[in-house]
Amino acid sequence: MTSFACRAFVIIAALNLCACGSSGTGEDDGTGSSSEPSTQSENQADTDTYTPATPDEITQFLGGKPAVLLFVDAGGRIEVLDLREESPAPQLLSTEASCINPIVSPDGSRVIYSRGQANGPKQIFLRALSGGDPALVANEVDVGYFAVEQGVEYVVYSDWSEKTQNGADGKTYRRALTYGTTTFSGQAEEIHARAMDAGPNRDLSWLGQVYDNMFAFEVGSAVDLEYATDKFVLMGGEAATHQTCNGSMAPDTTARLMTLVIPHDWVRIFTYTAQADRFEETSRFELPTGLKEWEYPEWSTSADYFTAVLRASDRKNRLFIGKVELGELAPALIEVVGREVGPSYSHLWVAQ
């Protein structure tokens, strides 16, 4: 069992405009604040005093809302921190290894996740957080998500696609669930002829995909509208032609796509604007002082929060919860899992 340290580390950053340009290079697999802000020196992130928060401090950061955090540890296993418990501490979901991209269901009772190599075909499984055997969703695929459309709960998943193909060599599917269970009530059906690895928004009205280029697809539109990279625009008005990875769609009915910008210096959010009929950059999250690299950003089940790994110059993974804010800034963050655990993929369920 992983224990939590007893001191919070919170970064609260003021607006700090970036002047280093808008494009990234390379290749790779609402305003909030804390009641106890602290400042960090350039070297503090490299010391053992850079410690995670207690469960109470995490709950305070989330405005007192019940929450469940899932993350993959250095052994490739999924760990669960259920902040609804009286004395929460991370527990192994199972002894399975090679787990990737755990996503908690909207009701906080189940998880969908992949097993396999990050850069290759995988299996997708669905299981209850309370225990029991996992249910196989599909073989030779990539990543899976939850969505609810017109009262029907679905798992949504895509084929494995070579990253340079931008999903063009795969497809995206949905499969209906008996609501609130791990039992399927229908067969898989294709919903788009591209593998959309950023998944759906909450009501399955939009799908997202990122890597060399960004794509978004309006599901069920009269003309099956797909928005390619030329429809994504940065704050300065220039085209968003930078490489991206780790796409994540907003957990509400809006069309918003969160992406990690290669070489991992920014996390950006692009929002669909109907008047301009394009996706415009509305958030650009800079690296906080003392930290060198973003990794694995993932929107939570609440549109107000996201999780991400941050690295200092020691190159060790540390897992944070951040607050989604508008503009170009270093967002409010709280460290929740320290570098001794080696966290990577994560997802946060927050009660609505």
Side-chain angles (χ1 to χ4, degrees):
M1 181 183 300
T2 305
S3 63
F4 270 70
C6 297
R7 186 171 65 82
F9 172 67
V10 182
I11 301 172
I12 304 297
L15 187 66
N16 180 19
L17 295 180
C18 178
C20 58
S22 60
S23 63
T25 59
E27 194 104 6
D28 195 3
D29 52 347
T31 303
S33 62
S34 166
S35 61
E36 298 181 1
S38 62
T39 58
Q40 303 297 310
S41 70
E42 286 289 342
N43 296 324
Q44 186 171 3
D46 300 327
T47 72
D48 289 333
T49 62
Y50 192 91
T51 51
T54 66
D56 285 346
E57 289 163 335
I58 300 170
T59 299
Q60 182 182 17
F61 186 81
L62 297 173
K65 297 177 180 178
V68 179
L69 174 68
L70 268 63
F71 62 92
V72 175
D73 63 22
R77 303 166 302 180
I78 298 174
E79 298 201 34
V80 181
L81 175 65
D82 191 338
L83 295 165
R84 301 169 296 187
E85 296 178 348
E86 184 175 346
S87 299
Q91 303 280 350
L92 283 177
L93 180 66
S94 74
T95 57
E96 292 175 298
S98 301
C99 295
I100 294 171
N101 202 61
I103 299 292
V104 190
S105 62
D107 65 359
S109 70
R110 292 151 293 152
V111 58
I112 190 169
Y113 60 99
S114 303
R115 290 193 66 208
Q117 297 301 311
N119 292 313
K122 309 168 188 65
Q123 294 179 302
I124 296 177
F125 293 94
L126 176 67
R127 69 187 306 158
L129 293 181
S130 60
D133 294 330
L136 177 66
V137 176
N139 291 305
E140 299 295 309
V141 286
D142 194 7
V143 293
Y145 302 88
F146 292 94
V148 178
E149 181 186 17
Q150 298 181 348
V152 179
E153 188 174 44
Y154 293 94
V155 295
V156 178
Y157 61 94
S158 62
D159 289 325
W160 165 253
S161 171
E162 293 295 333
K163 295 305 182 182
T164 56
Q165 295 295 312
N166 298 297
D169 57 345
K171 302 178 187 298
T172 302
Y173 311 89
R174 71 178 183 183
R175 190 174 182 187
L177 285 167
T178 299
Y179 208 102
T181 74
T182 58
T183 302
F184 292 105
S185 60
Q187 298 301 310
E189 56 180 318
E190 179 185 329
I191 57 174
H192 189 41
R194 182 186 293 274
M196 306 293 277
D197 59 8
N201 64 348
R202 186 181 68 190
D203 65 353
L204 195 48
S205 56
W206 287 86
L207 295 167
Q209 192 275 337
V210 306
Y211 194 65
D212 188 38
N213 300 119
M214 289 180 287
F215 289 86
F217 174 66
E218 188 174 8
V219 180
S221 59
V223 291
D224 289 339
L225 291 178
E226 185 172 78
Y227 292 78
T229 302
D230 61 353
K231 287 285 189 176
F232 287 80
V233 180
L234 298 175
M235 288 180 183
E238 62 269 42
T241 56
H242 53 76
Q243 285 186 310
T244 59
C245 58
N246 292 103
S248 179
M249 290 296 288
D252 55 23
T253 59
T254 64
R256 290 185 287 169
L257 178 60
M258 179 183 290
T259 69
L260 173 62
V261 178
I262 297 173
H264 300 197
D265 45 1
W266 289 308
V267 172
R268 288 176 170 154
I269 295 175
F270 293 88
T271 300
Y272 177 71
T273 303
Q275 184 176 4
D277 192 31
R278 66 184 186 182
F279 282 77
E280 299 177 349
E281 184 188 15
T282 50
S283 297
R284 182 182 300 182
F285 299 151
E286 297 179 346
L287 285 163
T289 299
L291 295 167
K292 307 297 183 183
E293 184 176 334
W294 290 101
E295 286 279 6
Y296 308 108
E298 188 70 51
W299 226 311
S300 77
T301 60
S302 166
D304 295 329
Y305 302 99
F306 71 103
T307 54
V309 161
L310 282 152
R311 293 173 176 168
S313 57
D314 62 3
R315 306 292 295 168
K316 302 294 186 181
N317 286 6
R318 299 171 168 93
L319 181 59
F320 289 78
I321 297 171
K323 293 186 178 180
V324 175
E325 306 175 61
L326 296 174
E328 188 173 1
L329 71 163
L333 297 166
I334 185 168
E335 185 182 1
V336 293
V337 178
R339 59 185 180 180
E340 72 282 357
V341 180
S344 56
Y345 301 90
S346 66
H347 192 230
L348 175 69
W349 176 86
V350 182
Q352 300 297 296

